[in-house]
Amino acid sequence: MTAKALLGGTVVVVPALSPLDRRSTLPPGTIVAVDDEGVTIASGTEDVRVPRFRTLAGEVLSAREALQRHGLGAGDVLRLPEPLATLGNWLRFIRTS
């Protein structure tokens, strides 16, 4: 199973993410920050960093470029295109894979 997210109305693949040692108080899926290292996203547990996204056609985009293409930034909420309740589920999936 590969994690996916909706950027605007476009489904993208999340090829990698890393849990961070902090938790924001924002709702799960909220973009906390975007920088050269990637995008920090709030989850039900600790925040996660996503360094890049991949389109369904295989194009790899930096997190910053992908978000800019879809007019997204800090404070916006990413949606999941499949029945994953929170980004925390992504963490549990990765840790058990």
Side-chain angles (χ1 to χ4, degrees):
M1 180 172 156
T2 302
K4 296 177 183 70
L6 284 175
L7 298 184
T10 303
V11 176
V12 293
V13 175
V14 179
L17 64 84
S18 304
L20 302 175
D21 292 332
R22 62 180 180 266
R23 181 179 181 197
S24 68
T25 58
L26 299 172
T30 302
I31 298 171
V32 177
V34 183
D35 59 29
D36 292 336
E37 301 294 316
V39 59
T40 301
I41 304 169
S43 78
T45 56
E46 59 266 314
D47 292 349
V48 296
R49 176 171 302 278
V50 176
R52 64 194 162 283
F53 293 96
R54 191 177 71 233
T55 67
L56 295 181
E59 180 183 11
V60 177
L61 304 170
S62 72
R64 184 185 301 271
E65 180 181 4
L67 294 175
Q68 285 175 342
R69 278 191 186 185
H70 297 282
L72 298 170
D76 291 323
V77 178
L78 299 183
R79 302 285 179 216
L80 301 175
E82 51 194 276
L84 295 175
T86 65
L87 291 175
N89 287 336
W90 288 3
L91 288 175
R92 285 188 287 281
F93 171 76
I94 288 171
R95 288 182 178 150
T96 60
S97 295

